[in-house]
Amino acid sequence: MLQLSYQSSQVTAVPPQRVPAREDQDGPWHTEAVCRRDEAGLFFAPSKEPTAARLSREEAAKRVCARCPVLVQCREHALLQPEPYGVWGGLTAAERRVVLARRRRHDIEVKKAQSAA
């Protein structure tokens, strides 16, 4: 997910641009991202956004992600960076923290199993 400002009368909290984690042979994955086209304002929260508005905006962003051809690459980018804000690869920042915690637990379990063997 590439960052563009949220089109609203509220002040925007948009993080600075980050360098993609990797590029495919055919070019950067983000050139194919659906969010580059017209709905990018859905992906980052404006300052002091009410909870109901945030949930609605995040669900709309996830619907955009669901039809994106580079969803997996975007999600992995956000997990590897890690991206602290916004919806990336169909996951919110909180959802990405859960995925990262699960991955860390899994890695620890695998290392324990390998050392026990």
Side-chain angles (χ1 to χ4, degrees), residues 95-110:
E95 291 165 337
R96 290 192 302 277
R97 285 190 295 272
V98 169
V99 169
L100 288 170
R102 286 180 182 159
R103 284 185 180 182
R104 283 190 295 271
R105 282 193 303 269
H106 178 265
D107 290 346
I108 290 168
E109 290 172 8
V110 167

Side-chain angles (χ1 to χ4, degrees), residues 2-91:
L2 296 176
Q3 138 250 320
L4 293 174
S5 62
Y6 184 83
Q7 302 301 320
S8 171
S9 61
Q10 297 177 336
V11 177
T12 324
V14 177
Q17 179 74 28
R18 292 177 180 240
V19 177
R22 63 186 168 137
E23 294 185 1
D24 294 332
Q25 292 174 340
D26 298 327
W29 61 265
H30 53 80
T31 59
E32 298 299 318
V34 173
C35 60
R36 287 183 58 101
R37 296 183 183 98
D38 57 4
E39 296 108 345
L42 294 174
F43 297 90
F44 293 96
S47 296
K48 300 178 183 177
E49 182 179 36
T51 301
R54 177 182 55 81
L55 294 173
S56 176
R57 180 187 48 74
E58 288 173 347
E59 285 304 314
K62 289 177 180 185
R63 285 192 300 274
V64 173
C65 291
R67 68 176 201 267
C68 186
V70 294
L71 178 131
V72 173
Q73 295 93 327
C74 180
R75 181 176 292 174
E76 285 305 309
H77 162 83
L79 292 167
L80 292 173
Q81 281 298 314
E83 291 290 351
Y85 306 105
V87 175
W88 289 76
L91 298 176

